[in-house]
């Protein structure tokens, strides 16, 4: 009897392990993309290990989405997660408890060399300080920066550090354009309470912020168009309302030009490789009160401004892109502009009285990474699975034109403790199956014991 009591749970455990191994195959990371942007991606597991648990090393891309691996379920593990895809092929998660709409390329920025990720805050951070959290993907360790700012009171009366949301990395990775937070206000159109914001230049070596421009409402500027560094890092183009300004690192304004409501700084990668031109994305199509069909048929044309004067300039004739939106990540050495192309979510609808980001997690239904070349050439660089909605790419790989790496496969291990929830139903199924087998076996044995012996046939 004792052997039976011991054997049953052991058998259940073995069967559970076998079933789980089959269900989560493959368990290895698969092909290694190396120093290339992968040509494909897979979806992370819900229990995927975090960056702090098992650092992946420098990443080629950061991705987010709405699969179980990115969001968990309504019952447990419901939180926003972003996958850092290491150049060795590992998928490791950055967690943002309760922030499902966290967006790589806007809320979480990958450093130019792919080694660091900057964000307003990070669940499980190894730093206990307040401020901008920069995590080293090679070690899992974080450093926080408060910019030397004094604490302010938020709408609930809590003292908080007003630093910082990342907007753009400097090309050398030693400073960032950031947004600092001011007093709360209620948006008269959306009735959403949010903090006023102000741009600043955060120097990582000194942990000091140089303020840029005036304080403004939080949702007044397109997130993808907040600012861009010139290749030498000495100047920036920043958006101020419907205007674009060129500033130096002290915040001094060199020129200002009006863009209106249909033209935007194309993205953090807007400056041409030689720094002489700035790419502007021009919208042809629905601006406000847009349904999904209208959003999907928007057309975007790239025009240019002279970086020295702010006046219109000539530049490569790039193809028009049909999409809800585009965001410029950077130029290749061969002269292609690399952009993310955003298609609208199934029930997407833009109204003047709602908070809106045309490159955001909530609004995007599918994202692709494409390269726009002179003469109308369009190359699809990465078309990820449907549940991937947001994307950021290391600038060093864009500049070098290193695309088309093999598709890394998200391995099931190492895992977070949440894997126990996944094992429970498998264990129950295994236990039920084994119990049925035991009952059937006992029934067969009993029937055989009850059957009378057959008479022996004697010949001769």
């Amino acid at each position: 009897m004792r052997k039976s009591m011991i054997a049953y749970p052991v058998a259940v455990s073995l069967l559970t392990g076998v079933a789980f191994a089959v269900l989560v195959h493959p368990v290895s990371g698969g092909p290694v993309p190396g120093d290339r942007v992968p040509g494909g991606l897979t979806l992370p597991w819900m229990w995927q290990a975090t960056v702090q648990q098992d650092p992946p090393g420098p990443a080629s891309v950061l991705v987010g989405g709405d699969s179980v691996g990115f969001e968990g379920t309504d019952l447990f593990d419901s939180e926003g997660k972003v996958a850092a895809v290491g150049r060795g092929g590992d998928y490791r998660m950055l967690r943002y408890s309760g922030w499902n709409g966290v967006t790589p390329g806007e809320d979480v920025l990958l450093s130019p060399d792919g080694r660091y990720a900057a964000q307003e805050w990070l669940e499980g951070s190894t730093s206990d300080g307040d401020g901008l959290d920069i995590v080293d993907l090679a070690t899992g360790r974080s450093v926080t920066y408060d910019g030397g700012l004094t604490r302010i009171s938020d709408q609930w009366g809590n003292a908080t550090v007003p630093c910082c949301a990342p907007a753009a990395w400097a090309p050398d990775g030693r400073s960032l354009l950031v947004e600092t937070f001011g007093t709360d206000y209620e948006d008269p159109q959306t009735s959403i309470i949010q903090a006023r914001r102000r741009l600043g230049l955060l120097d990582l070596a000194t942990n000091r912020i140089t303020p840029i421009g005036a304080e403004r409402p939080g949702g007044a500027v397109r997130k993808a168009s907040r600012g861009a560094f010139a290749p030498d890092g000495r100047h920036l183009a920043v958006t101020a309302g419907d205007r674009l300004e060129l500033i130096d690192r002290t915040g001094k304004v060199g020129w200002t030009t009006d863009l209106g409501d249909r033209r935007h700084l194309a993205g953090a990668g807007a400056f041409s490789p030689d720094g002489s031109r700035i790419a502007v994305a021009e919208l042809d199509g629905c601006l406000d009160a847009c349904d999904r069909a209208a959003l999907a048929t928007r057309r975007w044309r790239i025009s240019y401004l002279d970086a020295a004067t702010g006046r219109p300039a000539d530049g490569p004739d790039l193809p028009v892109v049909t999409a809800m939106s585009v965001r410029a990540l950077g130029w290749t050495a061969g002269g292609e502009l690399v952009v993310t192309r955003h298609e609208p979510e199934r029930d997407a609808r833009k109204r003047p009285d709602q908070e809106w980001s045309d490159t955001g997690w909530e609004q995007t239904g599918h994202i692709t990474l494409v390269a726009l070349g002179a003469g109308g050439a369009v190359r699809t660089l990465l078309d990820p699975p449907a549940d991937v909605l947001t994307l950021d790419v290391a600038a060093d790989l864009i500049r070098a034109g290193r695309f088309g790496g093999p598709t890394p496969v998200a391995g099931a291990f190492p895992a977070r403790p949440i894997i126990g929830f996944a094992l429970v139903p498998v264990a129950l199924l295994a236990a039920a199956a084994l119990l049925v087998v035991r009952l059937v076996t006992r029934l067969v044995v009993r029937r055989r014991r009850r059957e009378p012996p057959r008479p022996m046939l004697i010949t001769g």
Side-chain angles (χ1 to χ4, degrees):
M1 180 67 179
R2 183 173 176 80
K3 287 184 179 180
S4 176
M5 292 175 61
I6 295 174
Y8 183 67
V10 169
V12 170
S13 299
L14 288 174
L15 187 56
T16 300
V18 171
F20 185 71
V22 171
L23 287 172
V24 303
H25 183 78
V27 295
S28 64
V32 175
D35 289 328
R36 288 184 179 275
V37 177
L41 296 169
T42 61
L43 298 175
W45 300 96
M46 185 180 70
W47 55 80
Q48 200 84 59
T50 66
V51 165
Q52 291 85 0
Q53 279 181 274
D54 188 53
S60 54
V61 296
L62 298 178
V63 292
D66 61 359
S67 70
V68 171
F70 290 117
E71 287 193 281
T73 71
D74 291 337
L75 296 177
F76 54 87
D77 202 40
S78 178
E79 60 184 349
K81 294 192 281 288
V82 167
V85 183
R87 302 187 186 189
D90 293 326
Y91 290 65
R92 297 294 179 262
M93 308 308 290
L94 298 166
R95 299 170 56 216
Y96 307 90
S97 180
W99 190 8
N100 288 50
V102 61
T103 302
E106 294 184 4
D107 305 311
V108 190
L109 303 185
L110 188 60
S111 65
D113 61 0
R115 176 160 178 172
Y116 302 92
Q119 50 266 301
E120 186 179 329
W121 63 278
L122 178 64
E123 182 80 9
S125 172
T126 62
S127 173
D128 58 2
D130 294 327
L132 182 77
D133 189 294
I134 297 182
V135 61
D136 186 340
L137 301 178
T139 66
R141 307 290 298 176
S142 284
V143 176
T144 49
Y145 298 85
D146 61 13
L149 303 178
T150 50
R151 292 178 178 269
I152 61 173
S153 294
D154 61 17
Q155 58 181 306
W156 298 283
N158 300 318
T160 181
V161 173
C163 177
C164 298
W169 279 92
D172 62 4
R174 297 179 181 178
S175 56
L176 291 98
L177 179 67
V178 297
E179 290 180 304
T180 59
F181 311 117
T183 54
D184 292 328
Y185 80 104
E186 183 175 342
D187 189 303
Q189 283 192 308
T190 65
S191 299
I192 295 174
I193 296 176
Q194 54 183 318
R196 297 181 185 276
R197 299 198 174 200
R198 185 181 188 182
L199 289 174
L201 186 63
L202 174 64
D203 183 273
L204 300 183
T206 63
N207 188 26
R208 287 293 180 269
I209 287 180
T210 301
I212 295 172
E215 195 176 77
R216 56 172 172 75
V221 172
R222 182 177 185 253
K223 268 195 169 184
S225 303
R226 288 171 294 181
F229 279 89
D232 63 6
R234 295 166 57 189
H235 291 85
L236 303 89
V238 298
T239 299
D242 289 339
R243 304 188 313 278
L244 188 67
E245 298 176 342
L246 185 81
I247 62 170
D248 64 17
R249 294 183 67 89
T250 68
K252 181 181 178 181
V253 178
W255 52 255
T256 300
T257 188
D258 289 325
L259 295 181
D261 56 4
R262 288 183 173 270
R263 296 195 300 160
H264 307 279
L265 178 69
F271 273 91
S272 61
D274 63 0
S276 65
R277 294 185 301 271
I278 301 170
V280 172
E282 296 189 9
L283 169 63
D284 175 17
C286 186
L287 180 63
D288 287 311
C290 311
D291 61 13
R292 187 191 186 283
L295 292 169
T297 54
R298 285 171 147 192
R299 290 163 56 84
W300 295 88
R301 184 175 71 87
I302 300 298
S303 61
Y304 305 93
L305 298 176
D306 186 303
T309 65
R311 298 191 181 97
D314 294 330
D317 184 16
L318 302 181
V320 173
V321 179
T322 300
M324 177 174 66
S325 62
V326 294
R327 176 171 62 92
L329 276 64
W331 294 81
T332 68
E336 294 175 301
L337 180 61
V338 176
V339 304
T340 53
R341 177 180 178 272
H342 299 254
E343 299 174 43
E345 175 67 0
R346 182 169 49 194
D347 57 353
R349 184 177 295 272
K350 184 177 188 291
R351 301 188 308 270
D353 62 345
Q354 70 177 154
E355 191 173 19
W356 175 265
S357 171
D358 60 8
T359 55
W361 176 88
E362 284 192 33
Q363 293 78 19
T364 300
H366 188 60
I367 189 171
T368 50
L369 184 71
V370 299
L372 309 179
V378 179
R379 284 198 300 147
T380 298
L381 305 174
L382 175 59
D383 188 359
D387 288 327
V388 171
L389 306 177
T390 53
L391 175 69
D392 198 17
V393 182
D396 65 339
L397 301 183
I398 293 176
R399 283 194 301 270
R402 298 186 64 82
F403 303 102
T407 299
V409 178
F413 298 101
R416 292 190 294 131
I418 195 73
I419 194 174
F421 287 96
L423 283 173
V424 168
V426 177
L428 291 175
L429 288 173
L434 194 58
L435 182 59
V436 169
V437 170
R438 290 191 64 195
L439 291 175
V440 171
T441 302
R442 286 185 177 183
L443 182 60
V444 171
V445 170
R446 287 176 180 175
R447 291 181 64 179
R448 285 179 178 176
R449 288 176 179 175
R450 292 173 181 174
E451 290 179 359
R454 295 180 180 179
M456 293 180 62
L457 181 62
I458 302 174
T459 59

